[in-house]
Amino acid sequence: MRFIHISDTHLGPSPTFTYNGFNSYRHLEKVIETINSLPFAVDFVLHSGDVTEYGSSEEYALARRLLERLRFPVKYAVGNHDNGMLLQNALLGIESPSGRYDHCFTVDGVQVVILDTNNGFVPNGTLTERQLSDLRKLCTPEGAPLILVLHHPPVPLDTPWIAEGWAGFGHRSMLLNESEAFRAAIAPARERLRGVFFGHIHRAFQVQRDGILYCSAPSTVIQFAAYPEQRDPKPAPDEPPAFALVTLNGAQLTVRQYALSRPESP
Ligand SMILES: [Fe+2]
């Protein structure tokens, strides 16, 4: 089983919109062309959220036209820059969207569960008591191999602006508020849990904690600098757009990153 992990595309209302100085539409267009010309197939493309910048229906209509070019199905997590209802309706054509877009599917006997951690247009994410209780029911020791996906990191990464927040945004962290409860809920499934995948921080991180792999994807448009002890977020324009390829072969999960040059006239 293989999938491509992309994240934080930040598409705006028009193809000329720029995000942190770069045209997010042309960057995603190039990522899509690259994925479509890979010399192998994947089962799906996972987008771990922040499809758009403002969460408007115009942006999702634009995103739909662009992402429909992918030759593989795309599965979405809702980011803090997304509107979950419009993502379901305008991007995916779901006529009766749910308040929280949690969904799951099975590929090659692997269960993939995607959780909606949207908490509005702020850095930190949330899970409801109901979601946590469903997660506890799901994460039993026995069962199919499992992959979990959410937009916000559920582990405290070793960069202060991510783990503790920064003054410019009221010291709200970038993490899932209920990180500890999330980790306690999933712990019993450790043996069958192949990985927890997230986005939001615009950088590839790999964390191993309690025997569980946590793994984020880089942004398709711009990375954020995230050094240890760094107190404020800063764009890192010298670092290229990128995506990850995840392969699950029996008990082994392999993740590799592919960086791209920026499109011409970025
Ligand atoms: Fe985000």
Side-chain angles (χ1 to χ4, degrees):
M1 190 270 246
R2 292 191 199 113
F3 66 92
I4 300 279
H5 185 187
I6 64 172
S7 204
D8 297 273
T9 50
H10 289 271
L11 291 172
S14 87
T16 57
F17 173 79
T18 56
Y19 175 74
N20 278 289
F22 294 104
N23 180 302
S24 48
Y25 182 92
R26 279 204 293 273
H27 277 66
L28 181 54
E29 196 169 43
K30 184 161 182 185
V31 167
I32 290 171
E33 284 163 10
T34 305
I35 293 171
N36 281 345
S37 54
L38 290 171
F40 55 85
V42 297
D43 294 291
F44 62 96
V45 173
L46 171 67
H47 190 315
S48 56
D50 287 355
V51 177
T52 64
E53 174 64 1
Y54 305 114
S56 69
S57 42
E58 298 95 300
E59 290 171 302
Y60 289 115
L62 188 69
R64 184 173 185 159
R65 288 198 294 278
L66 182 53
L67 285 150
E68 269 175 359
R69 293 188 203 167
L70 270 169
R71 68 180 171 114
F72 306 112
V74 191
K75 306 292 185 179
Y76 296 92
V78 177
N80 57 310
H81 285 257
D82 287 313
N83 174 312
M85 301 288 273
L86 288 175
L87 184 149
Q88 291 170 79
N89 189 255
L91 178 62
L92 300 174
I94 296 171
E95 282 179 14
S96 310
S98 42
R100 282 274 193 197
Y101 184 44
D102 296 333
H103 54 123
C104 66
F105 56 97
T106 300
V107 183
D108 264 356
V110 179
Q111 194 176 10
V112 182
V113 176
I114 304 184
L115 297 168
D116 181 344
T117 52
N118 182 286
N119 178 32
F121 206 79
V122 292
N124 52 328
T126 58
L127 282 175
T128 63
E129 232 351 280
R130 172 71 192 268
Q131 286 176 300
L132 283 167
S133 124
D134 288 348
L135 197 58
R136 283 181 207 110
K137 280 183 213 139
L138 170 79
C139 290
T140 51
E142 302 298 322
L146 178 64
I147 282 178
L148 296 175
V149 181
L150 68 174
H151 182 64
H152 296 84
V155 280
L157 305 170
D158 65 348
T159 294
W161 72 261
I162 295 175
E164 296 155 27
W166 63 102
F169 226 128
H171 292 286
R172 285 171 183 264
S173 89
M174 295 282 280
L175 308 180
L176 177 69
N177 286 354
E178 298 78 15
S179 290
E180 276 182 44
F182 174 87
R183 294 197 305 269
I186 68 174
R190 183 186 294 116
E191 294 294 314
R192 64 186 181 100
L193 182 53
R194 299 294 186 260
V196 179
F197 293 85
F198 58 97
H200 190 39
I201 50 174
H202 293 230
R203 175 161 301 276
F205 268 91
Q206 295 84 40
V207 176
Q208 204 258 20
R209 181 168 176 151
D210 307 325
I212 292 169
L213 173 70
Y214 295 84
C215 201
S216 63
S219 165
T220 58
V221 54
I222 191 153
Q223 314 315 326
F224 293 153
Y227 300 111
E229 300 180 31
Q230 188 177 342
R231 303 237 146 244
D232 289 294
K234 281 191 194 78
D238 292 342
E239 296 186 59
F243 60 88
L245 169 66
V246 181
T247 311
L248 182 52
N249 193 348
Q252 178 166 321
L253 182 121
T254 307
V255 183
R256 64 197 113 185
Q257 267 97 36
Y258 290 92
L260 286 74
S261 57
R262 293 195 184 279
E264 281 173 36
S265 56

